[in-house]
């Protein structure tokens, strides 16, 4: 578990960079840029909500 905690962020950053470079340098993917940009409008707020959910809605714990 510790391995995943240490490497999740760097691997996610490299994956994001790879996807960005893929759309930038591969010309036959250019028609998909519009779809990727449109998906960002829905995915980004959902991901922010998932990350902030524990702060907004605290879980019930027995004391």
């Amino acid at each position: 578990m510790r391995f995943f905690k240490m490497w999740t962020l760097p691997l996610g950053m490299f994956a994001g960079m790879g996807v960005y470079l893929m759309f930038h340098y591969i010309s036959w993917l250019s028609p998909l840029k519009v779809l990727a940009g449109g998906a960002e409008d829905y995915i980004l707020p959902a991901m922010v909500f998932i990350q902030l959910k524990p702060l907004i809605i605290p879980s019930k714990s027995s004391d």
Side-chain angles (χ1 to χ4, degrees):
M1 190 64 164
R2 185 173 184 204
F3 174 81
F4 290 115
K5 285 184 179 182
M6 285 180 20
W7 288 100
T8 302
L9 179 61
L11 292 176
M13 291 168 62
F14 281 120
M17 183 179 67
V19 170
Y20 170 79
L21 292 174
M22 186 175 65
F23 276 103
H24 185 72
Y25 287 112
I26 300 176
S27 61
W28 55 271
L29 287 176
S30 60
L32 297 176
K33 287 181 183 179
V34 176
L35 295 174
E40 178 186 356
D41 295 338
Y42 298 104
I43 293 173
L44 185 62
M47 295 304 290
V48 170
F49 175 76
I50 290 169
Q51 291 175 350
L52 294 178
K53 185 178 180 267
L55 296 174
I56 297 169
I57 306 169
S59 62
K60 295 179 182 178
S61 62
S62 58
D63 292 327

